[in-house]
Amino acid sequence: MERPEIASAAEWQLARDELLKAEKEATRALDALAARRRRLPMVKFGNGYAFDTPTGTKTLLELFEGRGQLVVYQFMDNGPDHYCPGCTWFTNSVPAAGPALLADRGVTWVTVSNMPLAQIEAYKARMGWTVPFVSSHGTSFTDDCGAGGGFMLSVFLRDGEDVYRTYNTTSRGVDRLVFVNSILDLTPYGRQEDWEDSPPGWPQHPTYG
């Protein structure tokens, strides 16, 4: 297995300082993007969905649990006994304390899937997940969000009884939220996935492989 070049302390610090400049530029760029997100308009979203939950049927408005904001991760439905490895990886990364910490800021977190609730509950138990997880099976919620047969993260805001969507993202937009990925991106070998731009000889394998 190849390793990074060995440098003197002074050489390392010089290289680190140069990288830090680029990191600070990226941070400011991300701050600017977040500012633009906060200025996005919102679009009215229907509330006529019947989500199957462990405590009974709920509407989209009821998923807010009285809070003003709702973040929904849509977990792919690949059929009975088939579970998306990417959605599983993402859900594994949600910290156990995360939903409660978001709730303290007026944000409710819910994972939604077109899988029937019994299938969801069985997989939750198998994986040891405590994250709130409900079923949109039999509704048009996934299609109305534009997720289709894929995955998506959507943000909703309520104004009284009205629900609006303010943001959505998928693919790498969701990928960047994964805790483990963020830490691996700081390490010499990165995520060790074959799409990464790594030096020759670095360990790599297919994503989820």
Side-chain angles (χ1 to χ4, degrees):
M1 185 183 296
E2 296 295 330
R3 293 178 173 80
E5 294 180 4
I6 297 175
S8 67
E11 290 170 333
W12 181 88
Q13 190 62 58
L14 180 62
R16 178 67 191 97
D17 290 345
E18 285 299 311
L19 178 60
L20 183 60
K21 292 178 185 177
E23 288 177 334
K24 293 298 184 183
E25 290 174 1
T27 296
R28 287 189 288 271
L30 289 172
D31 288 342
L33 282 173
R36 289 181 64 180
R37 260 184 230 113
R38 291 190 292 273
R39 288 164 173 80
L40 276 175
M42 60 186 185
V43 60
K44 186 78 176 289
F45 209 86
N47 188 40
Y49 307 103
F51 296 95
D52 197 7
T53 86
T55 57
T57 302
K58 292 186 179 180
T59 65
L60 181 59
L61 185 64
E62 288 173 327
L63 293 185
F64 280 76
E65 296 185 339
R67 301 183 186 92
Q69 301 175 91
L70 172 69
V71 178
V72 169
Y73 178 77
Q74 288 170 268
F75 194 112
M76 289 174 63
D77 175 16
N78 289 344
D81 302 317
H82 295 281
Y83 302 97
C84 169
C87 292
T88 298
W89 174 254
F90 181 87
T91 306
N92 273 333
S93 79
V94 178
L101 293 172
L102 288 172
D104 287 342
R105 297 296 187 96
V107 178
T108 300
W109 174 278
V110 177
T111 302
V112 175
S113 178
N114 271 344
M115 291 186 289
L117 185 63
Q119 184 181 352
I120 290 171
E121 290 292 285
Y123 198 45
K124 270 189 70 177
R126 174 176 151 192
M127 300 303 295
W129 291 334
T130 58
V131 62
F133 210 140
V134 305
S135 173
S136 56
H137 188 70
T139 78
S140 61
F141 180 73
T142 294
D143 288 336
D144 293 346
C145 285
F151 63 92
M152 180 173 285
L153 186 138
S154 294
V155 181
F156 298 93
L157 180 72
R158 60 175 293 197
D159 181 9
E161 300 295 302
D162 295 326
V163 176
Y164 298 86
R165 183 154 72 158
T166 63
Y167 181 74
N168 75 310
T169 190
T170 189
S171 301
R172 296 296 302 280
V174 174
D175 168 274
R176 68 180 182 81
L177 303 178
V178 176
F179 170 77
V180 173
N181 288 349
S182 297
I183 299 303
L184 290 176
D185 285 345
L186 305 179
T187 65
Y189 294 129
R191 304 183 197 182
Q192 301 180 35
E193 295 177 1
D194 55 11
W195 60 268
E196 290 180 288
D197 180 3
S198 295
W202 256 228
Q204 290 188 313
H205 54 71
T207 303
Y208 311 126

